Structure formats: structure tokens, C-alpha cells
């Protein structure tokens, strides 16, 4: 399968057992087939290339006993304990073929022999020779990570650009608030308007990414958030200069940028197949106070805009006209505010479910890994 990736697999042994640790988190739909000659494993999870479908296929150096072997799925990994067949002996390698596999590493926590000295002597194991082999393999395992593919580079650069943009907006607005809060309230668009227009326009790509299969997520939450923000920014605020000097606009920009300065670093790590517990916790916790505040701020901006658009009649269409239709934009804004309740509930319930799944294995603030 072209889309199948290999997770990192760490292995160690005793004279009678093989230990495997598959570096794959949040595993779902795993399929395990262990025979005397080998192991086949397929699952979906979060590994070296982020959330994806991973597979391993190992032909063992010597036969094993599947009936006496076992495995368990943990939060951060999958562990195998495989019983060797026949008389116990130290294998010079895990695989039957002497082929270098960059995803297969030595687990040095599992190479320490737990047998007594007399047992080691009885099995006539040349420890010095074996440790030289381990040292040689360790040096050969210092591989340079392959250069990321085009998709990974693109997603990383996109998230980096968005992170820099929102960080500038948050920093600039915070600086002016500290320096002169009255100036910041009345000049929000002058301070960060251009940057906000740029990053929100670029955010349209977040609707396109899942549709093209670049990321594994539903396009609906991204569509609701991006279109909602852009409607408020480009249509409601962008076409009515009197809203540029309202204090609620400053609050709205600060809320939006606060959400994104923790969201995009999480995405940057994800596309590289990495995870940081603190960043993950912030990404799935910051929304708890910020999402409701953002919904309220957007609703206030729209309510404040209604009398302005009643005066200017901009975007309204009156009869008679060639299309024989009428449209009164202030009424649309009034009805649009009613959408915030179901839309807000959907967004927050989606984030709550994601938080339960993402944070269950974090070792942070008293949360224990499974």
C-alpha cells in the first residue's frame, strides 16, 4: 500500500524472550498476526508521520512460540513479549535477513541480561562479542532522518507562516495595550488589520487541506470557523469603517490570535510526527475560555454593525430590479446572530471530544498515562 508507513520499533531480548516496543500512540483498529516465523502488525495511530496508517512485517531470526507470547496496547506505544522456541540463546539480530532497516532500533533498556552468572556460563554466551555487536549497531542506527516529503514541507511552512502572523498580531496589540490602551482600542485595524486580513485569507486553505486528503480531519469544523471569521472580518468589519474604532474589535482580535498561537505550534509538531505534552494540553484547553469569549465578541460586532448598515443600506437589494428579488442586509445580520448558539455548541462539543482523546495519555498536571 503506497500510503502505508513504518513506525519506529525498538527491540531487546533475554535468552528466552524477545521484547518489541512499537512507537505508535492512540492506536485504533490494530491487526496482529504472530506466527512461528514472523510478526505482521497493522494499525492506525499517531507515529513518526503524524496520524496515519502504519504497518510492520518482520521475519524472525529463529522461530518463536506464538502461544506463549502476548502483547498489549498502551497509550504511548504497543508492547510485545514474544517467547523464543527451543533452547534459549542470544540472537545476533532480530530479523532473518541481514538487512538494515532504519525504522528498527535497539532498546537498550531490554538488553541487560537478567539471568544469573551461572546461567550465563551454562549457555556459554560471549557477552563481550555481543556488546561489540550492539555498539556497532548503535553507531549504524545514528541515521540522518530522511528529508520530509513535499506534503510535510508544505504543511509545516503553512502552519509556521500562520503562527508567525498571529504571534505578530497578538504581540503588537498587547504592546499597544500596555503602552496606551485608549490608542489600542481605537486603532486596532491600523495596528494589525492588514496582518489579520492576510492570515484569515490564508486560513481558507484549512478547508481545502482535508478535502484534498492532506490532513485527516473533517472539513466541517474548519469551514464553520473560517467562513464565520471571514464573514465578520471581510464583510461586516471591513466594509464599515466606524467599526474599526470599537473596543470590542480589539478584544476579538486578541481572542482569535490567542487561540492560534497555541494551535499552530501543535500542528507544526504534528506534521513532523512529534508531540509535546504542554503544547498539546494548551491546544486542547485554551479553547475552554477563549471560544465562548470569541463567539460573544463576534456577536457583539454584528449587533453593533446592524444600525450602521441600516443607515448605509450597503449590501441590501430593493425592488424593483432586473432580478426581481429583495434582500435587506440588516435583517440577515439579525438572523445570523441566532446561528451562534447551535454553531457554538457544535464547535465546543467537537473540541471537547477531541480534548478527551488527545489529553488522556498526557503526563501533565496529575494526568497519568494509561
Amino acid at each position: 500500500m503506497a500510503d502505508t508507513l513504518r513506525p519506529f520499533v525498538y527491540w531487546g531480548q533475554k535468552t528466552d524472550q524477545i521484547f518489541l516496543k512499537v512507537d505508535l500512540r492512540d492506536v485504533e483498529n490494530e491487526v496482529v498476526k504472530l506466527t512461528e516465523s514472523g510478526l505482521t502488525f497493522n494499525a492506525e495511530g499517531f507515529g513518526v508521520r503524524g496520524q496515519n496508517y502504519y504497518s510492520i512485517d518482520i521475519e524472525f531470526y529463529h522461530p518463536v512460540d506464538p502461544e506463549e507470547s502476548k502483547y498489549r496496547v498502551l497509550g504511548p506505544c504497543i508492547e510485545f513479549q514474544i517467547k523464543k522456541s527451543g533452547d534459549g540463546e542470544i540472537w545476533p539480530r532480530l530479523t532473518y535477513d541481514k538487512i538494515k532497516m532504519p525504522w528498527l532500533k535497539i532498546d537498550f533498556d531490554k538488553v541487560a541480561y537478567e539471568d544469573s552468572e551461572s546461567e550465563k556460563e551454562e549457555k556459554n554466551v560471549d557477552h563481550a562479542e555481543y556488546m561489540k555487536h550492539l555498539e556497532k549497531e548503535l553507531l549504524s542506527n545514528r541515521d540522518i532522518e530522511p528529508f520530509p516529503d513535499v506534503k510535510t514541507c508544505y504543511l509545516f511552512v503553512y502552519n509556521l507562516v500562520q503562527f508567525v502572523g498571529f504571534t505578530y498580531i497578538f504581540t503588537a496589540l498587547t504592546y499597544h495595550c500596555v503602552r496606551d490602551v485608549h490608542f489600542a482600542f481605537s486603532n486596532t485595524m491600523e495596528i494589525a488589520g492588514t496582518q489579520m486580513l492576510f492570515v484569515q485569507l490564508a486560513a481558507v486553505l484549512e478547508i481545502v487541506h482535508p478535502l484534498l486528503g492532506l490532513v485527516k480531519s473533517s472539513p466541517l469544523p474548519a469551514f464553520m470557523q473560517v467562513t464565520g471569521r471571514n464573514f465578520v472580518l471581510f464583510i461586516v468589519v471591513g466594509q464599515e469603517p466606524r467599526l474599526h474604532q470599537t473596543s470590542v474589535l480589539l478584544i476579538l482580535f486578541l481572542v482569535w490570535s490567542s487561540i492560534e498561537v497555541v494551535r499552530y505550534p501543535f500542528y507544526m509538531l504534528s506534521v513532523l510526527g512529534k508531540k509535546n505534552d504542554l503544547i498539546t494540553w494548551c491546544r486542547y484547553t485554551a479553547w475552554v475560555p477563549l471560544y465562548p469569549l470569541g463567539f460573544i465578541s463576534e456577536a457583539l460586532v454584528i449587533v453593533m454593525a446592524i444600525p450602521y448598515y441600516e443607515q448605509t443600506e450597503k449590501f441590501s437589494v430593493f425592488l424593483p430590479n432586473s432580478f426581481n428579488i429583495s434582500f435587506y442586509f440588516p435583517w440577515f445580520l439579525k438572523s445570523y446572530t441566532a446561528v451562534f448558539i447551535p454553531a457554538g455548541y457544535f464547535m465546543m462539543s467537537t473540541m471537547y471530544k477531541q480534548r478527551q482523546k488527545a489529553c488522556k495519555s498526557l503526563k501533565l498536571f496529575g494526568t497519568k498515562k494509561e
Side-chain angles (χ1 to χ4, degrees):
M1 184 180 297
D3 294 332
T4 300
L5 301 174
R6 306 291 185 189
F8 282 123
V9 178
Y10 299 86
W11 79 283
Q13 64 176 312
K14 294 198 300 184
T15 54
D16 60 340
Q17 292 184 92
I18 291 293
F19 302 97
L20 300 180
K21 182 174 71 174
V22 182
D23 189 10
L24 203 60
R25 299 192 298 272
D26 302 329
V27 171
E28 297 179 353
N29 306 318
E30 75 274 6
V31 177
V32 178
K33 183 180 179 181
L34 178 63
T35 65
E36 291 185 357
S37 60
L39 169 67
T40 302
F41 172 83
N42 301 276
E44 184 177 353
F46 191 95
V48 66
R49 289 296 178 88
Q51 190 71 24
N52 218 314
Y53 189 80
Y54 294 86
S55 173
I56 60 174
D57 190 357
I58 299 174
E59 184 179 4
F60 293 128
Y61 181 76
H62 277 325
V64 299
D65 186 352
E67 299 297 328
E68 296 296 324
S69 304
K70 57 186 177 180
Y71 81 96
R72 57 178 180 171
V73 178
L74 305 176
C77 65
I78 306 96
E79 292 185 348
F80 288 85
Q81 187 174 329
I82 301 173
K83 184 75 167 61
K84 296 180 179 178
S85 295
D87 296 332
E89 63 173 297
I90 296 297
W91 295 0
R93 60 182 180 274
L94 177 66
T95 58
Y96 180 80
D97 294 321
K98 194 174 183 180
I99 299 175
K100 175 63 179 174
M101 298 181 180
W103 49 270
L104 186 60
K105 311 288 184 180
I106 293 178
D107 185 354
F108 281 90
D109 292 334
K110 297 294 186 180
V111 299
Y113 301 112
E114 299 182 8
D115 303 304
S116 65
E117 289 297 328
S118 60
E119 289 175 332
K120 294 178 186 177
E121 292 175 359
E122 290 175 2
K123 292 178 172 50
N124 195 26
V125 178
D126 189 349
H127 289 205
E129 181 179 347
Y130 181 64
M131 290 308 294
K132 288 180 180 178
H133 167 76
L134 291 182
E135 182 180 0
K136 181 180 179 181
E137 187 164 343
L138 174 62
L139 293 174
S140 65
N141 276 339
R142 292 176 178 172
D143 302 313
I144 299 175
E145 292 296 328
F147 191 79
D149 55 25
V150 175
K151 184 183 80 170
T152 301
C153 292
Y154 163 73
L155 291 175
F156 181 83
V157 171
Y158 167 78
N159 288 296
L160 176 62
V161 170
Q162 292 293 88
F163 170 69
V164 172
F166 279 107
T167 300
Y168 173 84
I169 293 168
F170 179 82
T171 304
L173 292 176
T174 303
Y175 169 78
H176 284 285
C177 283
V178 173
R179 184 177 180 182
D180 187 347
V181 67
H182 298 291
F183 176 83
F185 275 129
S186 58
N187 293 274
T188 301
M189 286 297 290
E190 181 182 340
I191 296 170
T194 302
Q195 292 78 13
M196 184 62 78
L197 291 170
F198 172 81
V199 293
Q200 279 304 132
L201 184 62
V204 174
L205 292 172
E206 295 181 26
I207 305 174
V208 179
H209 292 163
L211 294 176
L212 296 179
L214 296 179
V215 296
K216 286 194 172 184
S217 61
S218 171
L220 182 57
F223 175 81
M224 294 178 63
Q225 176 171 300
V226 173
T227 55
R229 284 187 182 183
N230 286 357
F231 172 74
V232 172
L233 180 62
F234 288 92
I235 304 299
V236 178
V237 174
Q239 303 303 315
E240 181 47 66
R242 285 173 289 184
L243 291 172
H244 297 182
Q245 298 180 353
T246 57
S247 58
V248 69
L249 186 62
L250 172 65
I251 297 173
L252 180 62
F253 277 21
L254 284 173
V255 171
W256 284 354
S257 57
S258 298
I259 294 171
E260 308 303 1
V261 294
V262 296
R263 186 166 72 99
Y264 285 111
F266 171 80
Y267 289 156
M268 290 163 61
L269 291 176
S270 296
V271 298
L272 296 177
K274 301 182 183 299
K275 184 177 181 180
N276 179 276
D277 284 355
L278 179 59
I279 292 177
T280 301
W281 183 87
C282 291
R283 187 266 181 276
Y284 288 105
T285 304
W287 66 268
V288 177
L290 294 177
Y291 268 32
L293 186 57
F295 294 140
I296 294 172
S297 300
E298 290 180 31
L300 286 176
V301 169
I302 292 176
V303 169
M304 295 173 64
I306 291 174
Y308 296 147
Y309 283 98
E310 287 176 340
Q311 295 174 10
T312 64
E313 298 181 347
K314 185 176 288 187
F315 301 123
S316 297
V317 179
F318 301 96
L319 292 171
N321 58 69
S322 58
F323 296 100
N324 199 28
I325 60 172
S326 64
F327 174 74
Y328 192 49
F329 190 61
W331 288 354
F332 175 79
L333 292 179
K334 291 177 182 179
S335 61
Y336 185 81
T337 56
V339 178
F340 279 95
I341 297 176
Y345 174 79
F346 173 79
M347 292 293 296
M348 296 187 69
S349 61
T350 300
M351 288 300 301
Y352 177 74
K353 293 175 183 178
Q354 291 181 1
R355 187 182 192 278
Q356 284 187 312
K357 181 179 179 180
C359 296
K360 65 181 180 181
S361 62
L362 298 184
K363 191 175 180 181
L364 193 64
F365 303 119
T367 304
K368 296 182 178 180
K369 289 187 177 181
E370 295 182 352

